[in-house]
């Protein structure tokens, strides 16, 4: 691991750097249970090697709730770029192109290296990458639900009710916890033109939210739409 990557042990370590220097710092908020942090963590290591004069703080979000709340960390991974206590860059979720661009733009001058503008991506490219990722997620299983929490431990009443309905009717499904990825959480609202969660997809197409699914179950329409292979024997 690069020597300029600091695994935060105490709040005071970060506070002293932000208060006493004018350095640009990169704050990487992560969690060991979040698989999506693995790729971002590897990129952070590469960036730390390239921008060796910049301090990269690796912060386990749940262990430093005060810091996480201060930077409004809603999901991991999230990367904050800050100078003193002013946020000058932010990347929510797994967006490698944007992460490389943001760190390069803010840290290149202090490190005496090129920002490599050719490696940056336009907003249109970011949106295209996200839409490709969202399409893959909604098609991950014949029946997919996007919920808060996990199927075993939903973290809101609406998600719990939807999971209960599917289980009651022996429907097999995949799920995605939107609390683990703010980029997906916000992006899927536009992708599906549906502003709330949970959301149910069948063969990659939005079926609806909790109320719609409930009506479809009562009318018998839902079971007609569910692929036969997705109903447990």
């Amino acid at each position: 691991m690069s020597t300029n990557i600091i695994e935060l042990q105490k709040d005071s370590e970060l506070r002293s750097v932000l208060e006493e220097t004018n350095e640009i710092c990169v704050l990487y908020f992560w969690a060991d249970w979040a698989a999506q942090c693995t790729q971002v963590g590897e990129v952070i290591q590469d960036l730390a090697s390239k921008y060796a004069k910049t301090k990269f703080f690796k912060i386990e979000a749940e262990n430093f709730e005060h810091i996480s709340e201060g930077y409004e960390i809603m999901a991991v991974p999230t990367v904050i770029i800050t100078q003193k206590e002013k946020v000058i860059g932010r990347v929510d979720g797994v967006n490698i192109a944007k992460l490389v661009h943001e760190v390069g733009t803010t840290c290149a001058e202090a490190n005496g290296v090129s920002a490599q503008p050719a490696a940056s991506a336009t907003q249109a490219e970011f949106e295209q990458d996200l839409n490709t990722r969202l399409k893959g997620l909604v098609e991950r299983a014949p029946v997919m639900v996007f919920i808060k929490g996990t199927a075993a431990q939903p973290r809101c009443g609406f998600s719990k009710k939807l999971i209960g309905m599917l289980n009651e009717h022996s429907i097999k499904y995949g799920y995605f916890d939107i609390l683990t990825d703010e980029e997906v959480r916000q992006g899927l609202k536009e992708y599906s033109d549906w502003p709330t969660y949970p959301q149910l997809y069948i063969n990659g197409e939005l079926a609806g939210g909790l109320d719609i699914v409930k009506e479809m179950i009562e009318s018998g329409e839902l079971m007609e739409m569910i692929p036969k292979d997705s109903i447990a024997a």
Side-chain angles (χ1 to χ4, degrees):
M1 182 181 294
S2 301
T3 57
N4 56 323
I5 296 181
I6 303 164
E7 292 200 24
L8 196 66
Q9 302 297 322
K10 295 184 295 186
D11 292 26
S12 57
E13 292 177 310
L14 177 61
R15 189 166 57 250
S16 63
V17 172
L18 297 181
E19 292 178 354
E20 298 171 11
T21 75
N22 198 40
E23 296 178 27
I24 291 175
C25 296
V26 178
L27 316 181
Y28 166 44
F29 291 86
W30 70 291
D32 60 2
W33 48 264
Q36 61 270 26
C37 289
T38 302
Q39 185 181 9
V40 173
E42 292 173 352
V43 174
I44 287 291
Q45 290 189 43
D46 291 341
L47 291 171
S49 297
K50 180 175 182 178
Y51 303 105
K53 295 180 181 179
T54 298
K55 289 184 173 67
F56 288 71
F57 284 89
K58 188 177 179 183
I59 305 170
E60 196 161 2
E62 293 178 343
N63 292 345
F64 294 93
E65 292 184 1
H66 179 70
I67 297 175
S68 297
E69 290 174 1
Y71 287 103
E72 298 182 345
I73 305 302
M74 303 300 294
V76 292
T78 295
V79 176
I80 300 291
I81 305 170
T82 182
Q83 188 170 30
K84 285 206 173 280
E85 295 187 346
K86 180 181 179 182
V87 174
I88 58 176
R90 181 184 184 111
V91 181
D92 292 291
V94 182
N95 191 329
I96 303 305
K98 186 177 181 181
L99 175 58
V100 171
H101 174 65
E102 290 284 340
V103 173
T105 300
T106 54
C107 299
E109 183 177 354
N111 284 268
V113 299
S114 169
Q116 296 182 339
S120 65
T122 65
Q123 183 62 32
E125 287 171 332
F126 292 151
E127 291 174 357
Q128 183 179 14
D129 288 345
L130 178 58
N131 284 339
T132 299
R133 184 174 175 224
L134 293 174
K135 184 176 186 297
L137 285 173
V138 300
E139 294 177 350
R140 181 184 286 179
V143 180
M144 275 292 295
V145 289
F146 291 79
I147 59 176
K148 295 180 179 179
T150 67
Q153 292 184 311
R155 293 178 62 180
C156 85
F158 299 120
S159 294
K160 185 176 182 179
K161 287 180 181 178
L162 178 59
I163 291 299
M165 291 177 185
L166 298 178
N167 290 341
E168 183 180 347
H169 289 80
S170 301
I171 297 172
K172 296 186 287 185
Y173 56 87
Y175 75 88
F176 185 90
D177 179 3
I178 60 167
L179 297 179
T180 66
D181 195 320
E182 187 66 14
E183 185 178 53
V184 171
R185 182 179 183 177
Q186 298 302 329
L188 194 61
K189 293 178 182 179
E190 294 186 16
Y191 180 88
S192 63
D193 195 24
W194 194 270
T196 59
Y197 291 100
Q199 295 181 12
L200 172 70
Y201 290 77
I202 301 173
N203 292 327
E205 298 293 331
L206 177 69
L210 178 62
D211 290 340
I212 298 296
V213 173
K214 184 177 180 181
E215 291 175 5
M216 293 173 70
I217 287 176
E218 291 174 351
S219 68
E221 182 182 359
L222 183 70
M223 297 307 291
E224 293 177 0
M225 294 176 62
I226 299 293
K228 292 181 179 180
D229 291 346
S230 294
I231 301 176

